[in-house]
């Protein structure tokens, strides 16, 4: 990787654009992830790159950042054709990138993490000073000596941003930066980005949150199926018109005219507490929740605040210390394993589709057996499997939930994210569980599949089941939930009716307003 | 022009079957080159190695005698490896099975009944399973790597056997040779026909059939595959990884122990300091060559047994070292693992590209 950045040409006069990606095509096998994409960014501009999951946003950005090479097309930097061989070359040009998934070492301090990314020998003391200076200048408060493990996701993102800023970028690429932030943290981020833009730094802002883009960005390029479908000024568009461009059709509206008269309590958490699993796990503290027949209750929260721990506790992948702490269908289940809980008419859909909800190398029919081997529908009798039955159930589910697949019974890993999610959701809904717990139901799923899944969840509740949704997507939560609780640092707020909550009030709770005083501090000390 | 590996969307059935055949082909080609470099006629040498062992009744019987323990152990190991449990110590479990099973004829010298043989086989299986229980316990309790513990236990087992046959279990009438009393009657496996083939090969075939049904038809087999493929999904499915570790190690250890007592009650007829030419290790290759599938293991066991017999033949006819057979086995494993890459990836030839492409991905 010693290939240096090469600058050819050099005859261009003063360039109008900072970066031009011209007629970029990128093929992966037969699939065109980008086809004839052109994107132009001027200095000081905040430019949105919009598109659904799988529209080709990441591919384009990776090409700009040098992590991928285009099959066809060229990049121009200040009007001159450049060859960005690798991310190091991109950084040398002045392109910085903040990824959606941070690459930080939790056991190291802020300054140490930043030092790791910088070339050459570094004096930590001097670097710490520089970090403090840059972070206060741009309104990104950071303590250089703090351990990353102790920081919130928003703070971790600041490290990544400061790491970029230290290299004085002229183009900053932000990949879905607000996906993990509270509304307040997002506001703070927007101020920083506006400040950067006013100093002449261009920002390429990748998102599918239209209201953010409308508010922040000066220009936008919209991708669909790898092609540019429009270059528009988002401030002159409505959210609906942008969504139409992104999705290609009007987004299917969720039908949620509900008769809200919840019935008996079907899922009850009574003072559920659990120690943290490992140094970076989250402890659950005195969680109380009651989900009744016929309602959808959503748990909002920023990623990493105990959602997966709560899911594991309810599903029985991790057992509680007392039977009473979890009550499903009027049975105290805290000490039952997941199979017993399933048999007690409950269904679970975890956040991670591949490797948790489904085995990647198994066919769909085998993945049916994965969660339904102990049901009463005869998939296994006295230890022997009935694979023909699994194939029949798979046919039914893939038909009912519109799972698109290349052959009758493909491996799970061959499906796209949206189709696999429809499968793992459908697999549980098909059992008609009285209690359904689902973590991030539409994470990384295209709009069409997301609408189908949300509708199916509402329909399940309407049929008299209790549905608990854990999600980070507030739009989704407001769309489907009857009541909303917020989890932060392993503590769950009271569940309020959705109509009584606003984005702002939820944001405050996500930032920990409902936490019992001093509790998280003692937690840290004991962890 | 250059070659790249491109990930397939799912695994290729075709390559799953082709990979071992391709590996055998490459091994044969490599073998021919090695023989040619040694100044031997490569075709003749390959004939001695791979064809001659199956040209006479006598050598076919020898192949079956050697294939029996390889198939028994390999079938057990294939299930272990399916579960991502890496039992490398089958050789030690074989040794302990041989020692345990020999308790019956050594301490109850005059007991002669069909039950004697049954008791020996059961004790052999228990001995192997008990020895495999050590790495299982260490893995579940302390998260100790079973590759290391099971492998190190091989040497402990061999030293225990060595001590037994030189010390307490030495035949008093054996002219001080380090060996136990010779077994006789129902202390030996019955032979088939008139030759040297004993019912060990039948045991191996029965084991293959049972394990094949276990893996393809039962919930237990499904559980093993899930745990091996994705432990997180296994937990979600309600399966216990610890129980699977126990099950797989006890099963493969028991089968290795059965192979061990089969060797003692079969070809050798008594305990000796060394009772196996490395069957427990060769069975690892058998398991992989057989695609970790019991039926495949059957054919792979025959194949590897042929290289043992061919190696002995080559020693006599060509005057090459008997270690050559082990070289072949090693090369074979190397090529299988390499060819297995093609199951999930396809090779693509690219036209001239810029060197920057190397930095991609």
């Amino acid at each position: 990787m010693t290939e240096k950045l090469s600058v050819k040409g050099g005859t261009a006069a003063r360039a109008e654009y900072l970066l031009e990606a011209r007629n970029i095509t990128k093929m992966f096998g037969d699939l065109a992830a980008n086809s004839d994409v052109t994107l132009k960014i001027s200095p000081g501009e905040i430019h949105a790159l919009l598109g659904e999951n799988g529209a080709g946003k990441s591919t384009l950005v990776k090409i700009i950042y040098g992590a991928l090479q285009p099959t066809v097309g060229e990049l121009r930097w200040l009007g001159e054709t450049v060859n960005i061989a690798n991310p190091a070359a991109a950084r040398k040009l002045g392109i910085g990138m903040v990824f959606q998934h941070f690459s930080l070492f939790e056991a190291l301090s802020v300054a140490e993490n930043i030092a790791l990314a910088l070339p050459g020998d570094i004096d930590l003391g001097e670097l710490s000073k520089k970090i403090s200076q840059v972070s206060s200048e741009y309104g990104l408060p950071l303590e250089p000596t703090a351990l990353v493990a102790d920081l919130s996701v928003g703070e971790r993102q600041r490290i990544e941003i400061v790491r970029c800023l230290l290299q004085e970028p002229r183009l900053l690429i932000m990949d879905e930066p607000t996906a993990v932030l509270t509304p307040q943290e997002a506001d703070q981020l927007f101020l920083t980005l506006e400040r950067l833009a006013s100093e002449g730094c261009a920002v390429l802002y990748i998102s599918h949150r239209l209201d953010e883009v409308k508010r922040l960005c000066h220009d936008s390029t919209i991708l669909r199926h790898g092609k540019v479908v429009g270059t528009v000024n988002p401030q002159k568009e409505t959210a609906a018109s942008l969504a139409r461009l992104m999705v290609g059709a009007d987004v299917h509206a969720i039908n949620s005219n509900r008769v809200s008269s919840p019935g008996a309590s079907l899922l009850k958490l009574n003072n559920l507490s659990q120690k943290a699993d490992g140094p970076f796990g989250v402890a659950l503290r005195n969680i109380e929740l009651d989900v009744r027949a016929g309602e959808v209750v959503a748990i909002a929260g920023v990623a990493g605040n105990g959602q997966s721990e709560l899911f594991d506790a309810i599903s029985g992948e991790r057992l509680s210390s007392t039977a009473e702490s979890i009550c499903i269908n009027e049975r105290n289940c805290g000490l039952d394993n997941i199979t017993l809980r399933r048999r007690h008419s409950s269904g679970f859909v975890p956040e991670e589709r591949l490797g948790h909800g489904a085995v990647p190398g198994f066919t769909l029919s085998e993945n049916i057996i994965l969660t339904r081997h102990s049901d009463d529908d005869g998939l296994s009798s006295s230890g022997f499997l009935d694979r023909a039955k699994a194939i029949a159930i798979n046919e039914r589910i893939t038909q009912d939930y519109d799972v698109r697949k290349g052959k009758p019974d493909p491996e799970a890993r061959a499906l796209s994210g949206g189709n696999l999610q429809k499968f793992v959701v459908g697999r549980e809904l098909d059992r008609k569980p009285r209690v359904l717990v689902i973590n991030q139901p539409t994470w990384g799923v295209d709009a069409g599949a997301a609408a189908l899944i949300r509708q199916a969840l509402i329909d399940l509740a309407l049929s008299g089941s209790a549905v608990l949704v854990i999600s980070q997507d507030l739009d989704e939560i407001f769309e489907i939930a009857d009541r909303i609780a917020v989890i932060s640092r392993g503590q769950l707020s009271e569940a309020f009716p959705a109509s009584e909550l606003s984005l702002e009030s939820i944001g405050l709770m996500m930032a920990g307003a409902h936490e019992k005083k001093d509790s998280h501090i003692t937690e840290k000390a004991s962890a | 022009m250059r070659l790249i590996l491109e990930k397939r969307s799912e695994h290729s059935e075709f390559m799953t079957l082709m990979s071992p055949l391709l590996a055998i082909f490459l091994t044969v080609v490599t073998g021919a080159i090695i023989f040619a470099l040694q100044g031997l006629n490569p075709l003749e040498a390959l004939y001695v190695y791979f064809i001659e062992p199956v040209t006479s009744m006598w050598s076919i019987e020898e192949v079956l005698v050697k294939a029996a323990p390889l198939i028994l152990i390999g079938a057990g190991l294939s299930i272990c490896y399916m579960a991502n449990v890496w039992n490398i110590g089958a050789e030690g479990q074989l040794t302990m099975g041989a020692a345990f099973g020999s308790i019956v004829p050594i301490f109850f010298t005059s007991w002669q009944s069909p039950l004697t043989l049954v008791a020996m086989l059961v004790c052999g299986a228990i001995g192997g399973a008990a020895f495999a229980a050590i790495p299982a316990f260490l893995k579940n309790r302390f998260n100790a790597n079973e590759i290391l513990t099971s492998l190190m236990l091989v040497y402990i087992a061999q030293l225990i056997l060595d001590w037994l046959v030189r010390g307490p279990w030495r035949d008093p009438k054996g002219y001080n040779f380090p060996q136990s009393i010779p077994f006789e009657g129902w202390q030996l496996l019955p032979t088939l026909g008139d030759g040297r083939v004993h019912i060990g090969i039948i045991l191996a075939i029965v084991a293959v059939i049972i394990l094949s049904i276990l893996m393809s038809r039962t919930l237990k087999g499904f559980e093993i595959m899930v745990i091996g493929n994705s432990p997180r999904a296994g937990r979600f499915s309600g399966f216990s990884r610890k129980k699977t570790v126990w099950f797989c190690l006890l099963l493969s250890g028991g089968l290795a122990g059965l192979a061990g007592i089969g060797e003692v009650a079969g070809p050798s007829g008594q305990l000796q300091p060394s009772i196996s030419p490395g069957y427990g290790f060769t069975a690892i290759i058998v398991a992989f060559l057989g695609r970790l599938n019991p039926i495949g293991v059957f054919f792979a066991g025959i194949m590897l047994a042929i290289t043992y017999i061919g190696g002995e033949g080559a020693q006599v006819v060509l005057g090459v070292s008997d270690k050559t057979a082990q070289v072949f086995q090693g090369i074979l494993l190397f090529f299988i693992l390499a060819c297995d890459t093609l199951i999930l990836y396809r090779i693509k030839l690219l036209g001239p590209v810029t060197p920057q492409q190397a930095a991609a991905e």
Side-chain angles (χ1 to χ4, degrees), chain A residues 176-192:
Chain A
E176 305 247 355
T178 55
V180 292
L181 301 182
T182 62
Q184 285 82 354
E185 284 175 321
D187 284 343
Q188 182 62 50
L189 174 69
F190 296 156
L191 289 179
T192 305

Side-chain angles (χ1 to χ4, degrees), chain B residues 91-92 94-100 102 106 154-170 178-180 260 264 270-276:
Chain B
E91 184 78 3
L94 171 147
T95 306
M96 289 312 277
F100 250 70
S102 300
I106 287 172
V154 170
Y155 306 104
I156 294 174
Q158 287 174 339
L159 289 171
I160 290 175
L161 177 67
D162 196 73
W163 171 72
L164 284 173
V165 294
R166 288 176 203 280
W169 289 4
R170 190 173 56 194
Q179 56 196 28
S180 74
V264 178
Q270 64 193 151
L271 267 187
Q272 293 166 342
S274 167
I275 49 165
S276 143

Side-chain angles (χ1 to χ4, degrees), chain A residues 399-418:
Chain A
Q399 206 136 60
D400 288 358
Y401 295 94
D402 187 31
V403 178
R404 287 172 215 168
K405 52 202 168 89
K407 55 185 202 181
D409 198 10
E411 288 176 16
R413 64 175 153 227
L415 261 56
S416 74

Side-chain angles (χ1 to χ4, degrees), chain B residues 71-111:
Chain B
I71 295 169
L72 264 180
I73 305 170
L77 289 184
S78 66
I79 284 161
C80 239
Y81 297 166
M82 266 293 171
N84 236 334
V85 176
W86 300 99
N87 179 5
I88 305 297
E91 184 78 3
Q93 292 137 26
L94 171 147
T95 306
M96 289 312 277
F100 250 70
S102 300
I103 290 175
V104 177
I106 287 172
F107 287 93
F108 306 94
T109 321
S110 54
W111 182 27

